Amino acid sequence: MMTPEQKALLSALRDDLRAFKAEIRSSHKNKPRHVADTVREFDGGGKIFEAFIVLRLKLYFEQSGATTAICDARGGETEVYVLRGGPGHLRRNARTASHPEPGFVSIRQPDGRVFELHNSVEWPDHFVGGNETHELDVSIASPPECDRLDSWYQRGGRAPRPTMGIEAKFHGRAPGKEISRGVTGLAARLGVPLVYLITSMEPSETIVRQLRSLCGRSFETTTIVDAAALSVRLTDSQINAQGLVHVVRQINSFGSQGEGTSAADLSPAA
């Protein structure tokens, strides 16, 4: 059962997503036949929390000077944002014409770098190998890595790595040590240079220290550049999501993530 604090935050998150949908409709001249619901109404608070994180990151990237666009699975701009309802593969082509693949948010930096922002994608486990995967609630990667991931599911080859991964937890209590241990495992196994725990409750100082301790550590060919435990919560009846601004700043500070660039070439933002 949800706590009163969870219910209040969930209500605020729903209002924020409704405002986003209204903005999309307005930008397309209020033509309802051309604009389906941008974010479907999910029953689970966790999925709404995840959708909020994706769309608030989109907003903060725009405020930092990037150009963003809602895209279908193939990368074409679209008026409909199809959010993954659960863990799944990143596919560029729909398996059936009647069931479109989930889309993503394209982020184009002023210097020309491009990233893709996805939700609930399963990435390869670089420790176990084979076809073992683990889900990241929210992830960002370059288009070549996303293309490689689509191919890897079917044909294997070099396992791709995301640039950034978020584990999102919509809980009525502060995150425990088991969650921070899980995030540590994801960072190592998936080779994520930027990794974050985003919760609906303020993390304890112990959890904050545990995530910070990952910074600068290397796992095989990946160095963790930045790791943090952050929160999205209500403050004076307003959603406080400033931790997501930190995530955007870290990505904006990165060098090219193209072919031949390793995590060791990256440096954290101030």
Side-chain angles (χ1 to χ4, degrees):
M1 181 176 295
M2 288 189 187
T3 65
E5 292 79 8
Q6 273 186 298
K7 291 179 179 179
L9 176 57
L10 185 58
S11 176
L13 294 176
R14 287 185 183 276
D15 289 343
D16 195 87
L17 293 177
R18 289 191 189 101
F20 177 80
K21 288 192 287 186
E23 178 184 341
I24 294 296
R25 287 192 173 93
S26 176
S27 68
H28 289 287
K29 301 180 181 179
N30 289 309
K31 296 179 180 178
R33 66 181 184 276
H34 290 155
V35 184
D37 281 349
T38 308
V39 179
R40 303 180 188 278
E41 293 294 337
F42 289 96
D43 292 331
K47 187 55 61 175
I48 292 173
F49 190 55
E50 190 176 297
F52 171 83
I53 290 172
V54 169
L55 297 176
R56 188 55 70 95
L57 284 172
K58 177 181 184 298
L59 171 64
Y60 290 157
F61 273 113
E62 290 171 352
Q63 292 179 350
S64 72
T67 300
T68 72
I70 295 174
C71 296
D72 59 24
R74 290 188 173 188
E77 291 192 28
T78 179
E79 299 169 357
V80 181
Y81 182 28
V82 180
L83 193 76
R84 281 180 186 81
H89 290 182
L90 187 160
R91 293 187 176 92
R92 294 305 197 191
N93 297 301
R95 286 170 292 179
T96 63
S98 59
H99 292 85
E101 287 296 319
F104 61 91
V105 175
S106 174
I107 304 161
R108 181 173 293 276
Q109 303 282 19
D111 61 7
R113 289 177 297 138
V114 179
F115 295 101
E116 294 183 12
L117 171 59
H118 291 266
N119 84 292
S120 296
V121 166
E122 296 176 323
W123 291 87
D125 185 320
H126 290 261
F127 283 7
V128 176
N131 59 356
E132 186 72 19
T133 62
H134 301 283
E135 177 204 11
L136 285 172
D137 293 323
V138 178
S139 55
I140 286 179
S142 66
E145 286 296 277
C146 292
D147 289 342
R148 190 172 288 115
L149 179 60
D150 178 31
S151 174
W152 178 85
Y153 294 130
Q154 304 299 322
R155 294 182 286 275
R158 185 181 76 79
R161 304 171 189 266
T163 298
M164 185 279 293
I166 288 175
E167 181 75 0
K169 295 297 182 184
F170 185 79
H171 287 172
R173 56 184 174 80
K177 292 181 180 179
E178 72 282 356
I179 294 179
S180 64
R181 287 195 294 266
V183 174
T184 299
L186 285 175
R189 291 179 178 278
L190 305 186
V192 191
L194 292 177
V195 62
Y196 303 100
L197 170 63
I198 309 290
T199 68
S200 57
M201 297 288 288
E202 185 73 14
S204 68
E205 186 58 34
T206 298
I207 301 301
V208 170
R209 287 198 304 269
Q210 286 179 339
L211 268 293
R212 284 178 180 166
S213 70
L214 292 176
C215 297
R217 296 185 182 273
S218 296
F219 300 95
E220 293 188 334
T221 60
T222 298
T223 298
I224 307 300
V225 176
D226 189 48
L230 307 166
S231 65
V232 171
R233 63 192 190 282
L234 282 181
T235 303
D236 298 328
S237 300
Q238 299 293 319
I239 299 175
N240 182 344
Q242 286 304 299
L244 298 179
V245 175
H246 172 83
V247 175
V248 169
R249 286 174 178 166
Q250 290 295 322
I251 294 171
N252 288 346
S253 74
F254 275 13
S256 170
Q257 287 296 287
E259 200 68 25
T261 302
S262 69
D265 298 320
L266 307 178
S267 59

PDB file of all heavy atoms in Angstrom, residues 82-95:
ATOM      1  N   VAL A  82       5.730   5.972 -27.827  1.00  0.00           N
ATOM      2  CA  VAL A  82       5.377   4.644 -27.321  1.00  0.00           C
ATOM      3  C   VAL A  82       6.403   4.264 -26.261  1.00  0.00           C
ATOM      4  O   VAL A  82       7.580   4.030 -26.561  1.00  0.00           O
ATOM      5  CB  VAL A  82       5.351   3.594 -28.451  1.00  0.00           C
ATOM      6  CG1 VAL A  82       4.986   2.225 -27.895  1.00  0.00           C
ATOM      7  CG2 VAL A  82       4.374   4.019 -29.538  1.00  0.00           C
ATOM      8  N   LEU A  83       5.971   4.211 -25.014  1.00  0.00           N
ATOM      9  CA  LEU A  83       6.836   3.896 -23.889  1.00  0.00           C
ATOM     10  C   LEU A  83       6.820   2.393 -23.632  1.00  0.00           C
ATOM     11  O   LEU A  83       5.769   1.760 -23.732  1.00  0.00           O
ATOM     12  CB  LEU A  83       6.328   4.640 -22.650  1.00  0.00           C
ATOM     13  CG  LEU A  83       7.228   4.719 -21.430  1.00  0.00           C
ATOM     14  CD1 LEU A  83       8.329   5.738 -21.648  1.00  0.00           C
ATOM     15  CD2 LEU A  83       6.394   5.091 -20.201  1.00  0.00           C
ATOM     16  N   ARG A  84       7.966   1.809 -23.310  1.00  0.00           N
ATOM     17  CA  ARG A  84       7.992   0.393 -22.965  1.00  0.00           C
ATOM     18  C   ARG A  84       7.236   0.166 -21.659  1.00  0.00           C
ATOM     19  O   ARG A  84       7.480   0.835 -20.663  1.00  0.00           O
ATOM     20  CB  ARG A  84       9.425  -0.108 -22.801  1.00  0.00           C
ATOM     21  CG  ARG A  84      10.130  -0.382 -24.096  1.00  0.00           C
ATOM     22  CD  ARG A  84      11.551  -0.873 -23.897  1.00  0.00           C
ATOM     23  NE  ARG A  84      12.208  -0.981 -25.185  1.00  0.00           N
ATOM     24  CZ  ARG A  84      12.738   0.062 -25.832  1.00  0.00           C
ATOM     25  NH1 ARG A  84      12.713   1.263 -25.284  1.00  0.00           N
ATOM     26  NH2 ARG A  84      13.295  -0.103 -27.020  1.00  0.00           N
ATOM     27  N   GLY A  85       6.366  -0.827 -21.675  1.00  0.00           N
ATOM     28  CA  GLY A  85       5.606  -1.152 -20.482  1.00  0.00           C
ATOM     29  C   GLY A  85       6.335  -2.083 -19.544  1.00  0.00           C
ATOM     30  O   GLY A  85       5.911  -2.318 -18.413  1.00  0.00           O
ATOM     31  N   GLY A  86       7.453  -2.644 -19.988  1.00  0.00           N
ATOM     32  CA  GLY A  86       8.248  -3.558 -19.170  1.00  0.00           C
ATOM     33  C   GLY A  86       9.590  -3.786 -19.831  1.00  0.00           C
ATOM     34  O   GLY A  86       9.840  -3.304 -20.940  1.00  0.00           O
ATOM     35  N   PRO A  87      10.495  -4.521 -19.184  1.00  0.00           N
ATOM     36  CA  PRO A  87      11.822  -4.774 -19.752  1.00  0.00           C
ATOM     37  C   PRO A  87      11.723  -5.400 -21.134  1.00  0.00           C
ATOM     38  O   PRO A  87      10.900  -6.300 -21.361  1.00  0.00           O
ATOM     39  CB  PRO A  87      12.460  -5.742 -18.749  1.00  0.00           C
ATOM     40  CG  PRO A  87      11.713  -5.520 -17.475  1.00  0.00           C
ATOM     41  CD  PRO A  87      10.314  -5.189 -17.876  1.00  0.00           C
ATOM     42  N   GLY A  88      12.544  -4.948 -22.052  1.00  0.00           N
ATOM     43  CA  GLY A  88      12.484  -5.499 -23.398  1.00  0.00           C
ATOM     44  C   GLY A  88      13.699  -5.150 -24.225  1.00  0.00           C
ATOM     45  O   GLY A  88      14.605  -4.447 -23.787  1.00  0.00           O
ATOM     46  N   HIS A  89      13.708  -5.672 -25.447  1.00  0.00           N
ATOM     47  CA  HIS A  89      14.799  -5.429 -26.376  1.00  0.00           C
ATOM     48  C   HIS A  89      14.590  -4.118 -27.125  1.00  0.00           C
ATOM     49  O   HIS A  89      13.462  -3.679 -27.342  1.00  0.00           O
ATOM     50  CB  HIS A  89      14.885  -6.571 -27.394  1.00  0.00           C
ATOM     51  CG  HIS A  89      15.361  -7.857 -26.802  1.00  0.00           C
ATOM     52  ND1 HIS A  89      15.538  -9.000 -27.552  1.00  0.00           N
ATOM     53  CD2 HIS A  89      15.703  -8.187 -25.532  1.00  0.00           C
ATOM     54  CE1 HIS A  89      15.977  -9.973 -26.766  1.00  0.00           C
ATOM     55  NE2 HIS A  89      16.077  -9.501 -25.539  1.00  0.00           N
ATOM     56  N   LEU A  90      15.699  -3.513 -27.509  1.00  0.00           N
ATOM     57  CA  LEU A  90      15.668  -2.342 -28.379  1.00  0.00           C
ATOM     58  C   LEU A  90      15.646  -2.855 -29.813  1.00  0.00           C
ATOM     59  O   LEU A  90      16.621  -3.460 -30.265  1.00  0.00           O
ATOM     60  CB  LEU A  90      16.894  -1.457 -28.114  1.00  0.00           C
ATOM     61  CG  LEU A  90      16.973  -0.096 -28.802  1.00  0.00           C
ATOM     62  CD1 LEU A  90      17.963   0.797 -28.061  1.00  0.00           C
ATOM     63  CD2 LEU A  90      17.389  -0.212 -30.266  1.00  0.00           C
ATOM     64  N   ARG A  91      14.540  -2.641 -30.493  1.00  0.00           N
ATOM     65  CA  ARG A  91      14.409  -3.104 -31.875  1.00  0.00           C
ATOM     66  C   ARG A  91      14.159  -1.912 -32.789  1.00  0.00           C
ATOM     67  O   ARG A  91      13.351  -1.041 -32.487  1.00  0.00           O
ATOM     68  CB  ARG A  91      13.262  -4.110 -32.014  1.00  0.00           C
ATOM     69  CG  ARG A  91      13.482  -5.428 -31.295  1.00  0.00           C
ATOM     70  CD  ARG A  91      12.378  -6.418 -31.637  1.00  0.00           C
ATOM     71  NE  ARG A  91      12.600  -7.723 -31.028  1.00  0.00           N
ATOM     72  CZ  ARG A  91      12.118  -8.078 -29.842  1.00  0.00           C
ATOM     73  NH1 ARG A  91      11.388  -7.217 -29.151  1.00  0.00           N
ATOM     74  NH2 ARG A  91      12.356  -9.277 -29.349  1.00  0.00           N
ATOM     75  N   ARG A  92      14.818  -1.924 -33.935  1.00  0.00           N
ATOM     76  CA  ARG A  92      14.614  -0.867 -34.918  1.00  0.00           C
ATOM     77  C   ARG A  92      13.396  -1.149 -35.800  1.00  0.00           C
ATOM     78  O   ARG A  92      12.815  -0.218 -36.342  1.00  0.00           O
ATOM     79  CB  ARG A  92      15.855  -0.723 -35.808  1.00  0.00           C
ATOM     80  CG  ARG A  92      17.106  -0.234 -35.090  1.00  0.00           C
ATOM     81  CD  ARG A  92      16.888   1.054 -34.357  1.00  0.00           C
ATOM     82  NE  ARG A  92      18.147   1.720 -34.024  1.00  0.00           N
ATOM     83  CZ  ARG A  92      18.248   2.746 -33.203  1.00  0.00           C
ATOM     84  NH1 ARG A  92      17.167   3.224 -32.597  1.00  0.00           N
ATOM     85  NH2 ARG A  92      19.423   3.307 -32.955  1.00  0.00           N
ATOM     86  N   ASN A  93      13.038  -2.406 -35.941  1.00  0.00           N
ATOM     87  CA  ASN A  93      11.916  -2.777 -36.813  1.00  0.00           C
ATOM     88  C   ASN A  93      10.853  -3.506 -36.010  1.00  0.00           C
ATOM     89  O   ASN A  93      11.159  -4.370 -35.186  1.00  0.00           O
ATOM     90  CB  ASN A  93      12.394  -3.682 -37.955  1.00  0.00           C
ATOM     91  CG  ASN A  93      13.387  -2.978 -38.861  1.00  0.00           C
ATOM     92  OD1 ASN A  93      13.071  -1.946 -39.439  1.00  0.00           O
ATOM     93  ND2 ASN A  93      14.591  -3.521 -38.963  1.00  0.00           N
ATOM     94  N   ALA A  94       9.593  -3.155 -36.263  1.00  0.00           N
ATOM     95  CA  ALA A  94       8.482  -3.784 -35.565  1.00  0.00           C
ATOM     96  C   ALA A  94       8.341  -5.242 -35.993  1.00  0.00           C
ATOM     97  O   ALA A  94       8.538  -5.582 -37.159  1.00  0.00           O
ATOM     98  CB  ALA A  94       7.187  -3.026 -35.854  1.00  0.00           C
ATOM     99  N   ARG A  95       7.990  -6.096 -35.046  1.00  0.00           N
ATOM    100  CA  ARG A  95       7.784  -7.503 -35.366  1.00  0.00           C
ATOM    101  C   ARG A  95       6.484  -7.709 -36.135  1.00  0.00           C
ATOM    102  O   ARG A  95       6.385  -8.586 -36.977  1.00  0.00           O
ATOM    103  CB  ARG A  95       7.775  -8.323 -34.070  1.00  0.00           C
ATOM    104  CG  ARG A  95       9.153  -8.511 -33.443  1.00  0.00           C
ATOM    105  CD  ARG A  95       9.061  -9.106 -32.065  1.00  0.00           C
ATOM    106  NE  ARG A  95       8.457  -8.171 -31.121  1.00  0.00           N
ATOM    107  CZ  ARG A  95       8.244  -8.444 -29.839  1.00  0.00           C
ATOM    108  NH1 ARG A  95       8.567  -9.621 -29.359  1.00  0.00           N
ATOM    109  NH2 ARG A  95       7.698  -7.536 -29.047  1.00  0.00           N
TER     110      ARG A  95
END
